[in-house]
Amino acid sequence: MKSNKKYRIKSKSRFITFLVIVICVFVGTIGYFTGFSTANAIEDSDYKIIEVSYGDTIWDLAEQYKDDNVEIRDAVYAICELNDIKADEIKPGMKLTIPVSM
């Protein structure tokens, strides 16, 4: 018994939305099971994790870890942006991520 039923797309926008959702779910599932994520895309060798000691300031840390040709303000800005903090928000015991080449 052969079925000659034909399907028609009644709403192109709903069909396209459905396809986009299916593709996103498919790509996300494949990424999840293969272990790929954007967090893994950043190599650990590009950054150093340090613990803030009592008396440290962001300016002291930037001066300590920056390259000689980098302005101190740019280094402070890079550290603050990377850690999503303001310069006056560091506390002893806090862990900061510092770019190795800064």
Side-chain angles (χ1 to χ4, degrees):
M1 196 152 115
K2 194 174 191 183
S3 175
N4 288 336
K5 187 173 184 178
K6 292 185 179 184
Y7 294 99
R8 284 191 302 149
I9 299 172
K10 293 182 180 179
S11 172
K12 285 185 181 181
S13 62
R14 279 193 342 189
F15 180 71
I16 291 172
T17 303
F18 170 76
L19 281 180
V20 168
I21 290 171
V22 167
I23 290 170
C24 289
V25 168
F26 178 74
V27 169
T29 303
I30 295 298
Y32 176 77
F33 285 113
T34 60
F36 178 77
S37 70
T38 54
N40 293 337
I42 298 174
E43 293 185 24
D44 292 337
S45 62
D46 294 341
Y47 299 96
K48 179 185 284 191
I49 307 252
I50 63 159
E51 186 172 336
V52 177
S53 300
Y54 182 78
D56 283 345
T57 66
I58 199 84
W59 292 85
D60 295 336
L61 296 171
E63 181 66 38
Q64 181 179 353
Y65 291 101
K66 76 175 186 69
D67 293 335
D68 292 336
N69 59 346
V70 175
E71 284 286 323
I72 186 78
R73 288 184 207 111
D74 295 334
V76 168
Y77 179 78
I79 293 170
C80 289
E81 284 295 306
L82 184 60
N83 292 282
D84 195 26
I85 60 170
K86 293 181 183 172
D88 61 348
E89 292 179 346
I90 67 168
K91 296 175 176 68
M94 179 184 275
K95 303 233 189 263
L96 293 178
T97 304
I98 307 286
V100 170
S101 60
M102 174 174 51

